[in-house]
Each structure stands twice: as structure tokens, then as C-alpha cells.
Amino acid sequence: MFSLSAQSDSVSTIVERILEFYLENNEIEDFDNNTAFERLYDFQSNPLNINTATASRFMELFFLNPVEIQAIIDHRTEYGDFISLEELQTIEGLDMTKVKMLLPFTTVGNASENINIKDLLAAGRSQVFLKYKRTLQDKAGYISNANNETKYAGDPNYLYARYRFDAGRRLKAGFTMEKDPGEAFFKQGNKNGFDFYSGYLYAEKVNHWVEQVALGDYTMSMGQGLILHNGFGFGKSAFVTSFKKNRNHLRQYSSVNENLYFRGLATSLRLADWASLTLAYSQKKIDGSLALDTIENEPEEFFSSLLQGGLHRTASEIANKGSITQQNIGAVLDLNYKNLNIGVNYLQYNFSSPLKRPEAPYRNFYFSGKDLMNISVDYDYRFKNINLFGEVAQSDNGGRAMTHNVLVALDKRVDFAVSYRDFDKDYQVLEANAFAEGSYPLMKRDIMLVLSSGPIMNGNLVLITTYGNTNGCGIVLMHQVVAKSIFCVWNTTRKESLMPTSCIDMSKNKEILL
């Protein structure tokens, strides 16, 4: 069971408990601890004003789901500004666990926005983070062969250094350096020292027209992830009604994943009270396996795959490092009217060499070439306890993908959700992060019904029924007392059996034998 005392526990303890609670109850393949820690520490240093925060701002506190966020906003609309944080306990739809999570990261105060750059710099604080680790037992890659050569170019040491300057949400700057085990350090194929360098300068509310500016490394998000999204999301879990994506488009990047970021310049402009425009340009080097196509009259260099590992230890990994130049142009037009938000999204890719994937039946519709364009329209409408949201996207080959969703808070303890997903087999996208198996929207058409109720006997009961090309009915039972989440699936095609076809203990990522 999650327990938290905001007054007595240290910030690090609180953050660790929240992340543990979040991870135990969600299926997340690639969770970025650095980004999660930084986001929570940022809110601890610069608490979110619950009297002025928008729904997008609340969603940056990723442990809140859309139903809970709307309950806070509805309470504020009906009764006026919060007098104290203790008033959160009176909100229907917000349990004490979430109230305790919110306390260290929120405020009811009014922070002044009329602060000049000199005062911001004077009020800012600097932090330095250093990390070192090493596996004591040598792996095969570090052992010399008969010619006194090793497979890996570097030593087994992991080195990490990060500097961060923080002047509230108005101004941030920092840089990150990392060397993975096995990578060279100031020698051979890596004479610049660390294998990965990253830096950023980020500002908000620059003036009346400029809402955000990001220079250097940054992340960008669009709609519900059918094109691109680098925010937090939930999988099929005890929080399955929380699959909605945040509509905050730009953030600084300070993590060590060597792929999930843009490098260049981005800005968000306020066109009117009801409209804003976000523009982005990026150019960076990425890893690719280069080869030469000699079938044509004029040989052409191409790459066969996008390498996502970020490791540069062996001769082949070093040769592939930064071999491809990737350029991106992105734009988001946001239109707002009362409780309705509409976004028009555009993202263009260009590679210095064409991508030609090895032939295989399942790759027939995957993207190949030098240029790719995606466009989409997303929407978000809120009315009392009902939230409708979705996105319709298309790639430049005509393939389409769409998702339409409804979230309803039936009661303080009962939530209902409907999710319709229709992904064409020829929809092409490279960095999607949608609510789908593996986050990749491809070859799926189904409708999912979700009924979530809890707490029941110290646990949450979630019923999931899916109709479409993946038929099934599942029940999730999460026991907070023992911090365990069991996900069981009943296949509707097996009518002769009342036993579930499979059960997985998600806290151990292990299938339970039936």
C-alpha cells in the first residue's frame, strides 16, 4: 500500500515511492528514470499552482489520470480558488493516496510572472550530478584474445555527469555527458571523451507572444501519439483508464537516451487568446548500418535499419555511429474554445541516405526512402465527468491511423472508458507512441471497453473487454498490500473453458503457470 507523509519524508524518498507505485501498476517497456526524477524534482522546487494550472500542466504530474485532473478543475470552477492544499481531500474522485502524492508538488500561492532576466539569473540555482558504476566480473568483450585484442574498445566503467541550472519554470539550462561500459574514453574511436553529449537552453513566458523557446536538445509531442509523443503514458494495467496523452508540446531534454530527442530550435507562439503555433527544426546525427547498392547503374549508399541501442563498443558499432543525418521540421497549430481543444500536427523527416529495409513479408508496408511526412488532427473535449479525445493521422503514402476515446467518471470509485483504434496496414510512422501494443500503430482495428473500480479489499478491479482482430476479455487485480499486479486473459474463442488462458505477474514480469 502506498503511504506518504509529505512533512516528514525527504523529497528523494517521496519521489522514489511515487515512481515505485507508478511502475508497479503499469506495463512500461522503456521507462526513462532520469526524466521522471527531473520532472518531480522540478515540481518540488517550483510547485504547481492548482488555482491556475491547466489540464496539460496537471498531466505533467504523470501519476494523475484525466478523470482525477478534471475533478480538480471542476471543483475549482464550482467553488472558486483553493484556500489550502488540504481542500483537495474534499474532491469527489480524488482518493487520499493521490492527495498525499500531490502535496509536495503543488501550491495555492500566486507566483509572480513579471520577473526580469537579471532577477531570474540571481534566483536560479545550480546542481551537479555524478554517477559511476562498474561490474566487477569481466565480460567476454573485455578479455584479450591471442593477439592481445579485445572486442570492446573501452573499459567496463560507466560514467555520467550532468549540470543543471534552474530558475523556476521560466528559465532552465544544462548539459549531460555519458559513457557506457565498453565505450572508449579519450582514445581510439572516441577521442572527444564521453560518447554522448547533450545540452539545452529552455525558457517560458519570454514575452506576451513567445510562450516557449527550446534551444539545443528538446522533446516534442503531438496529439495522442499517432505521429510523435515523448510524454508519459499508461499501458494495460490498473490505470488502464489513463491512456490519454499530455498536450504539452515542448520540453527540454536532459536524459541519456541517444535517440528520443530533437536537436535544434523550437518555439511556441501565442497568436491569440484562442490560438497558438509551435514550430520546430532539428538536425542530428543518428546511427545506421550503411551499405552500398550496386544493382543500379550508379551505386547508391543506403542504410538498412535505424539502430536504437546507443552503444558504441565494437568496431562495427563505432563505424555506424552518426553515419546518418536526420532532419525534421514540425509544426502544431492549437485552437481552443472553452472546453474544446483542437490541434493540427505536421512532421517531416529527411535522411541523408535512403532507408532500405531487408525484404520480409511483415515489412512490406514499412517506410523506406529518404523522406516521410505525417499530418494529423487531434481533439480534446471535456464536459463535467466526461472526456472525449482522439486523433486522426495520415502518412504521405495515404495510410491512415485513428483513435477515438471516451472517459467517464461514473462514481468516485468507478471509471468507465471506451477506446476505438483503427490502424491501416500501410500507415507509415517512425516515432509514434500511441496507445497500442508496442506503442506502434499498425494493422489493428478494435474497440476496447474498460470498467475500473477500486479500492476493493485493498485492491483495484479492472475489467477489460476487447472486440476486433484481437478478441479477448481480461481482468486485472492489483493488491496494494503486497505490491503485486496480476493480469489474466480469457480468450473468448475458447468457450469450452472457464479458466483463463494466461496470467502474468506484472510486478515480476513473469507468466504464472495455470
Side-chain angles (χ1 to χ4, degrees):
M1 179 180 292
F2 185 95
S3 62
L4 176 61
S5 173
Q7 288 75 24
S8 60
D9 288 337
S10 67
V11 175
S12 61
T13 301
I14 293 170
V15 171
E16 288 174 3
R17 289 180 180 178
I18 289 176
L19 292 181
E20 181 181 2
F21 180 85
Y22 180 78
L23 289 171
E24 283 182 350
N25 298 290
N26 294 279
E27 294 183 75
I28 303 176
E29 297 177 358
D30 298 311
F31 184 75
D32 191 339
N33 283 297
N34 289 327
T35 300
F37 266 100
E38 178 169 327
R39 187 171 299 187
L40 291 180
Y41 273 105
D42 182 34
F43 277 110
Q44 188 275 329
S45 303
N46 310 286
L48 183 69
N49 188 343
I50 61 175
N51 284 327
T52 59
T54 62
S56 293
R57 279 299 192 191
F58 273 116
M59 288 192 73
E60 292 187 46
L61 291 170
F62 50 85
F63 52 82
L64 290 177
N65 67 49
V67 174
E68 293 164 339
I69 291 171
Q70 193 58 44
I72 296 173
I73 295 175
D74 288 344
H75 185 278
R76 185 179 69 193
T77 302
E78 183 174 356
Y79 299 104
D81 286 354
F82 291 88
I83 299 175
S84 68
L85 292 178
E86 285 71 21
E87 193 176 341
L88 290 169
Q89 302 175 60
T90 66
I91 297 178
E92 289 289 330
L94 198 64
D95 61 35
M96 281 303 300
T97 296
K98 294 298 180 71
V99 171
K100 291 177 181 179
M101 287 184 181
L102 278 168
L103 293 180
F105 310 110
T106 52
T107 182
V108 295
N110 294 313
S112 175
E113 296 182 358
N114 299 318
I115 303 177
N116 58 44
I117 186 67
K118 183 179 179 180
D119 292 335
L120 277 176
L121 293 174
R125 63 175 184 172
S126 297
Q127 294 177 299
V128 176
F129 303 88
L130 302 173
K131 182 189 294 185
Y132 167 82
K133 64 181 179 180
R134 173 173 179 154
T135 302
L136 296 179
Q137 183 178 4
D138 285 340
K139 296 182 179 180
Y142 305 108
I143 300 175
S144 300
N145 59 19
N147 298 322
N148 199 31
E149 298 174 340
T150 59
K151 181 179 179 180
Y152 294 159
D155 55 47
N157 297 321
Y158 173 84
L159 304 176
Y160 169 85
R162 179 159 70 97
Y163 168 77
R164 176 187 178 190
F165 174 80
D166 185 352
R169 290 192 180 83
R170 295 285 304 279
L171 182 63
K172 302 175 187 291
F175 61 85
T176 303
M177 304 176 289
E178 185 201 40
K179 178 194 105 58
D180 289 305
E183 294 177 340
F185 192 59
F186 285 109
K187 64 177 183 179
Q188 295 181 13
N190 193 20
K191 296 182 179 180
N192 296 323
F194 289 89
D195 178 72
F196 177 67
Y197 290 93
S198 175
Y200 66 87
L201 176 64
Y202 176 82
E204 287 188 8
K205 301 185 184 302
V206 178
N207 56 40
H208 178 74
W209 302 107
V210 182
E211 296 182 337
Q212 293 174 288
V213 173
L215 178 65
D217 293 349
Y218 62 93
T219 62
M220 191 173 187
S221 297
M222 298 178 177
Q224 292 303 307
L226 293 182
I227 295 179
L228 175 72
H229 205 286
N230 287 305
F232 291 92
F234 295 80
K236 294 179 182 177
S237 68
F239 296 136
V240 74
T241 54
S242 304
F243 46 79
K244 182 180 178 181
K245 304 288 186 180
N246 192 352
R247 300 187 80 251
N248 189 23
H249 302 305
L250 297 179
R251 286 191 65 87
Q252 73 278 7
Y253 184 78
S254 61
S255 188
V256 292
N257 187 301
E258 300 183 25
N259 301 286
L260 302 179
Y261 67 94
F262 287 159
R263 176 166 288 177
L265 175 65
T267 184
S268 183
L269 306 173
R270 182 175 181 267
L271 305 180
D273 291 340
W274 48 271
S276 64
L277 177 65
T278 300
L279 300 171
Y281 174 78
S282 169
Q283 178 174 313
K284 66 177 182 178
K285 296 289 187 178
I286 62 173
D287 296 354
S289 180
L290 284 173
L292 195 64
D293 186 353
T294 59
I295 297 178
E296 302 294 336
N297 294 330
E298 295 183 7
E300 181 184 32
E301 193 175 53
F302 69 95
F303 67 106
S304 57
S305 62
L306 294 167
L307 304 177
Q308 304 288 322
L311 297 174
H312 309 108
R313 307 159 300 178
T314 65
S316 61
E317 290 174 346
I318 293 172
N320 292 330
K321 179 182 178 181
S323 58
I324 305 297
T325 299
Q326 174 184 320
Q327 293 188 74
N328 292 94
I329 297 175
V332 179
L333 175 63
D334 277 316
L335 306 173
N336 307 301
Y337 178 73
K338 295 185 178 179
N339 292 332
L340 175 63
N341 306 112
I342 296 176
V344 182
N345 310 291
Y346 169 88
L347 185 62
Q348 174 78 43
Y349 287 86
N350 173 263
F351 298 101
S352 56
S353 298
L355 172 62
K356 295 184 179 181
R357 304 179 190 269
E359 292 186 3
Y362 68 91
R363 294 196 187 107
N364 286 342
F365 299 101
Y366 284 16
F367 165 73
S368 292
K370 292 183 64 175
D371 299 284
L372 173 66
M373 181 186 71
N374 296 101
I375 58 173
S376 76
V377 176
D378 70 273
Y379 63 92
D380 183 2
Y381 177 72
R382 299 172 303 279
F383 178 73
K384 294 185 178 180
N385 63 328
I386 302 174
N387 187 189
L388 288 77
F389 60 96
E391 183 178 12
V392 179
Q394 180 172 313
S395 51
D396 53 10
N397 68 333
R400 294 182 180 179
M402 67 178 70
T403 176
H404 303 286
N405 312 276
V406 181
L407 294 178
V408 183
L410 299 178
D411 183 74
K412 184 176 182 179
R413 297 183 179 182
V414 181
D415 299 325
F416 178 69
V418 179
S419 177
Y420 173 74
R421 301 175 292 182
D422 188 352
F423 308 146
D424 288 352
K425 61 184 178 182
D426 57 346
Y427 176 65
Q428 297 179 345
V429 66
L430 291 176
E431 296 181 277
N433 185 16
F435 180 60
E437 284 69 16
S439 299
Y440 195 80
L442 181 66
M443 293 174 58
K444 175 177 286 295
R445 179 179 296 169
D446 64 10
I447 183 168
M448 177 182 295
L449 308 178
V450 183
L451 184 66
S452 173
S453 178
I456 299 175
M457 298 178 62
N458 297 318
N460 292 331
L461 180 64
V462 180
L463 177 65
I464 309 170
T465 303
T466 304
Y467 300 94
N469 56 13
T470 53
N471 292 327
C473 173
I475 293 179
V476 177
L477 181 61
M478 182 190 69
H479 293 288
Q480 294 179 351
V481 173
V482 294
K484 183 180 294 185
S485 181
I486 308 297
F487 182 80
C488 295
V489 175
W490 279 258
N491 191 329
T492 56
T493 62
R494 291 179 54 179
K495 298 180 180 180
E496 72 279 1
S497 176
L498 295 178
M499 291 295 291
T501 56
S502 64
C503 285
I504 298 175
D505 183 346
M506 293 191 295
S507 65
K508 298 179 180 178
N509 195 25
K510 180 180 179 182
E511 185 170 357
I512 300 172
L513 297 178
L514 300 176

